[in-house]
Amino acid sequence: MTRMLRVLMLCVLALGLAGCGKIQEELAASQNPFPKTSPLHAPVDRVTRKLIHEPAYMERMKGLKPGQAQEMGAMLAMNGLGRLELPMLERRAQLVGQLLQKLPEAQCGEIAKATTPAEVSRTTERMLETLATMPQGAIDEWFDIAYAATVAELQQLPKKQVTEAQVNAAAVSLVQLIPTEAERERIGTVMSNLPGATPADACWAVRTMYTTLPKLPEPERGHFAWASTQQ
C-alpha cells in the first residue's frame, strides 16, 4: 500500500469519507511538478484541487505513479479540447500563437514537426517552460482551458461538429489573408510536406498560421481553431 493510500485509509477511519477531502487535496497537490517559485505552480495546484473532486478523474489516476499521472492528465486535456466551445478554442489558439512567437526558431520548428509521442512530450515540456515566461493572466487562462478540456473528456461531452468542408473553407480563407503571393506559395509548399521542411520553414509556417488566425471572420475562425486541436 502506498503512503497516499495509507494516509487516506487512516483519515477515513478517523474522520469518515466526507472529512478527508482536504487531506486528499493536499496529497494530490504535493505531486505538483512545478516548484512553488514557478509561475506555473499556483494554477496547477488550483486545477489539481478541483480535479480531485471528479470521481472519473480519480478513477483514471488510480495506481499511477506521478510521471504516469502527469501523462494521463495531459492526454485527457488534449483529447477533450475538441469538446470545448469554439470561442474557448479561439482563445487557446491565440495563446499558442504567443508561445510560438517567444520560442527560439529551432524549438518552434521542432514543435511544428512533432508527430511521435516522444517528440510531442519533449516539445510540450519546452512550451511549458516558455509559458512560464508569459503574464500570469495568460498562464491562468492556459490551465483553465486545460481544466475545462479535462472535465469535458471525463464527462464525454459531445464533440463539436465541424466538418471537413468547413475546415477546408477556413484554411482557404486563412491563406487568402496572407499578404503576398510568394508567402502564400511558401506556406503551401511547407504545409504539404511538413515532416520534410526545415525547422526555419516549419516555424515560419505555424507562426504565420497562428498570427493570421485571429483575422479570420466567424465562423471560419472557430473552425480553424478547432482543427488546430485535432491530432
Side-chain angles (χ1 to χ4, degrees):
M1 184 181 292
T2 66
R3 175 183 173 274
M4 180 179 290
L5 286 177
R6 287 199 304 273
V7 173
L8 286 175
M9 285 298 294
L10 290 171
C11 177
V12 170
L13 290 171
L15 303 177
L17 185 59
C20 294
K22 189 63 177 177
I23 291 178
Q24 195 173 16
E25 285 185 20
E26 295 299 332
L27 286 168
S30 70
Q31 306 299 316
N32 192 322
F34 303 106
K36 290 184 178 181
T37 54
S38 169
L40 307 184
H41 181 91
V44 168
D45 182 80
R46 184 182 70 253
V47 166
T48 301
R49 289 175 187 274
K50 291 195 291 185
L51 285 172
I52 287 303
H53 299 288
E54 294 284 341
Y57 178 81
M58 296 303 293
E59 183 64 27
R60 295 288 189 98
M61 296 297 165
K62 188 183 295 181
L64 298 183
K65 296 178 181 179
Q68 295 172 322
Q70 291 169 26
E71 291 178 5
M72 174 61 73
M75 184 186 73
L76 289 170
M78 183 57 68
N79 290 346
L81 286 172
R83 304 179 191 276
L84 297 180
E85 296 298 325
L86 298 185
M88 188 174 285
L89 295 182
E90 291 175 25
R91 179 53 186 154
R92 182 183 183 274
Q94 291 176 357
L95 293 172
V96 170
Q98 293 170 21
L99 283 169
L100 292 173
Q101 291 295 334
K102 290 175 73 70
L103 281 162
E105 186 179 78
Q107 292 184 9
C108 166
E110 187 178 1
I111 287 171
K113 291 159 60 74
T115 54
T116 68
E119 290 172 340
V120 171
S121 176
R122 184 170 60 252
T123 57
T124 298
E125 290 180 10
R126 290 174 180 170
M127 286 192 73
L128 288 174
E129 290 171 0
T130 304
L131 180 65
T133 68
M134 295 180 67
Q136 191 64 51
I139 295 172
D140 291 343
E141 279 190 279
W142 181 271
F143 285 104
D144 287 343
I145 293 170
Y147 169 75
T150 300
V151 173
E153 179 66 15
L154 291 170
Q155 296 178 353
Q156 288 292 286
L157 298 182
K159 289 190 175 183
K160 299 306 167 190
Q161 297 302 309
V162 180
T163 67
E164 183 177 353
Q166 289 172 322
V167 172
N168 289 340
V172 169
S173 295
L174 185 141
V175 170
Q176 290 174 343
L177 289 172
I178 296 174
T180 69
E181 181 63 30
E183 288 177 313
R184 291 193 288 272
E185 289 182 2
R186 182 185 179 191
I187 201 168
T189 300
V190 173
M191 296 308 295
S192 65
N193 184 26
L194 194 56
T198 66
D201 280 343
C203 178
W204 172 84
V206 295
R207 281 178 174 171
T208 299
M209 286 196 317
Y210 277 100
T211 55
T212 306
L213 189 152
K215 302 174 186 177
L216 280 171
E218 294 289 7
E220 284 90 351
R221 184 163 66 243
H223 294 161
F224 198 93
W226 176 88
S228 72
T229 68
Q230 303 304 295
Q231 299 299 308

